[in-house]
Amino acid sequence: MEGAAGPTLLGFDVIWIATILSAVATLAVLTAIYAATTVKDPMAKRVKALNERREQLKAGIVASTNRRKSLTNKNQAADKVRGILTQFKMLQDDQLKKTQTKLVQAGIRTKELAFFIIFARLVLPIVFGTAAVIALYVLDWYPEWGALRRYLTVAGVLIGAYKAPDIWLKNKVTKRSNAIRKGIPDALDLLVICAEAGLTVDAAFGRVARELGKAYPELGDEFGLTAIELGFLAERRQAFENLASRVDLEAVRGVVTTMIQTEKYGTPLASALRVLSAEFRNERMMRAEEKAARLPAIMTIPLIMFILPTLFVVILGPAACSINDSFLNG
């Protein structure tokens, strides 16, 4: 006599499905507990980076990248990678400067990492492309695949491996820019208050960096570095231009232009910043309304994939179990 089979739904064991869902829920709860109990202070690392930048400025290491490299002993690996790229004639000045700019916009102050990004574009396609060719053509994985499908797979692996460093860097720049954009209106309001209180520009930037460091650590990092550069650089205009180059946002470039004009022509700083703050707040509200308008269309796919199947299990599960028991008993 065969053992009694468990209840099924659409050919799947209900107990097995419930076990998997329970495991997923348990994993989500443990992940949430781990994330809540391992929260670190986001300002510790950034304060350390700002102190290092302050020491560099005190030493006068602000002229060029080559001069900074001559004064550090941490670039041996970068020099080796640069030598390899030069040997293969893959190191171009405009490409290097563009990559270094992207690294700075991503919050990575080590510009020597640009050599490794360019080197990864050379190495990753070779490694992953060779692995794909060996797996599909030598080891004959997926023998049911046709010649066209194998060719497209290898081509996709090569293109994806080549674009992977740029995609990773672009994502970091986008995330950092979005985080900074959220705090721009609040930062401008605090700058207005500091300007009306009689603080100098560098003191105002430093005060805003301290006040907003917890809520917007990325923005506090950039404003703190700008305050340091305003105190040490010979040209104050250069400090504002450095801020515009480090942050890939039109709003920040508008603030920098306003600050440069007030420094040059002596126009009232508080009134100009107040107008900018109002514009940025309206822009932030418009982006929020746009996201809210897209929400119904975005929720359609999660509703179909996750909510409706669960609803069907809850509604049809008891009926399926009763039908299955009737057939077994009959």
Side-chain angles (χ1 to χ4, degrees), residues 195-213:
E196 292 177 345
L199 293 180
T200 59
V201 176
D202 50 347
F205 271 86
R207 182 69 179 181
V208 173
R210 290 193 300 271
E211 294 294 334
L212 295 181

Side-chain angles (χ1 to χ4, degrees), residues 65 68-69 74-75 77-83 85-86 90-106 108-122 165-166 168-169:
T65 303
R68 287 198 299 270
K69 291 177 182 176
K74 300 180 180 179
N75 59 347
D79 289 339
K80 292 180 181 179
V81 173
R82 182 176 56 182
L85 293 175
T86 304
M90 292 191 59
L91 192 61
Q92 301 177 358
D93 292 339
D94 56 345
Q95 184 184 25
L96 179 61
K97 292 180 180 178
K98 184 178 179 180
T99 306
Q100 289 177 344
T101 302
K102 290 295 183 181
L103 286 173
V104 173
Q105 292 175 354
I108 303 173
R109 308 300 182 190
T110 306
K111 291 187 177 182
E112 285 77 10
L113 187 61
F115 297 114
F116 296 95
I117 297 293
I118 300 174
F119 184 69
R121 298 173 187 167
L122 171 65
D166 293 332
W168 172 78
L169 190 57

Side-chain angles (χ1 to χ4, degrees), residues 85-275:
L85 293 175
T86 304
Q87 184 178 1
F88 285 95
K89 297 181 180 180
M90 292 191 59
L91 192 61
Q92 301 177 358
D93 292 339
D94 56 345
Q95 184 184 25
L96 179 61
K97 292 180 180 178
K98 184 178 179 180
T99 306
Q100 289 177 344
T101 302
K102 290 295 183 181
L103 286 173
V104 173
Q105 292 175 354
I108 303 173
R109 308 300 182 190
T110 306
K111 291 187 177 182
E112 285 77 10
L113 187 61
F115 297 114
F116 296 95
I117 297 293
I118 300 174
F119 184 69
R121 298 173 187 167
L122 171 65
V123 174
L124 291 182
I126 297 175
V127 174
F128 287 96
T130 304
V133 169
I134 293 175
L136 295 178
Y137 291 98
V138 179
L139 300 179
D140 197 19
W141 288 8
Y142 305 102
E144 68 276 6
W145 285 10
L148 179 60
R149 190 172 184 180
R150 295 188 179 198
Y151 172 77
L152 292 178
T153 301
V154 174
V157 169
L158 290 173
I159 296 174
Y162 179 78
K163 292 292 185 179
D166 293 332
I167 294 174
W168 172 78
L169 190 57
K170 184 178 179 180
N171 288 338
K172 289 189 70 67
V173 172
T174 303
K175 290 177 62 177
R176 183 177 175 84
S177 299
N178 292 335
I180 292 176
R181 183 188 288 112
K182 294 178 182 178
I184 287 294
D186 297 334
L188 291 182
D189 288 341
L190 287 178
L191 282 177
V192 170
I193 295 173
C194 293
E196 292 177 345
L199 293 180
T200 59
V201 176
D202 50 347
F205 271 86
R207 182 69 179 181
V208 173
R210 290 193 300 271
E211 294 294 334
L212 295 181
K214 294 291 184 180
Y216 308 103
E218 294 84 2
L219 182 62
D221 183 13
E222 296 298 338
F223 271 38
L225 184 55
T226 302
I228 295 172
E229 290 183 342
L230 285 171
F232 285 97
L233 291 180
E235 293 290 336
R236 297 171 65 87
R237 180 190 181 95
Q238 184 63 39
F240 294 123
E241 292 177 352
N242 291 342
L243 175 61
S245 64
R246 290 195 306 268
V247 181
D248 187 21
L249 284 177
E250 188 66 31
V252 174
R253 286 190 284 271
V255 174
V256 167
T257 301
T258 302
M259 300 300 295
I260 292 176
Q261 289 178 351
T262 55
E263 289 279 338
K264 185 176 181 180
Y265 300 108
T267 55
L269 177 61
S271 58
L273 291 179
R274 188 178 290 107
V275 173

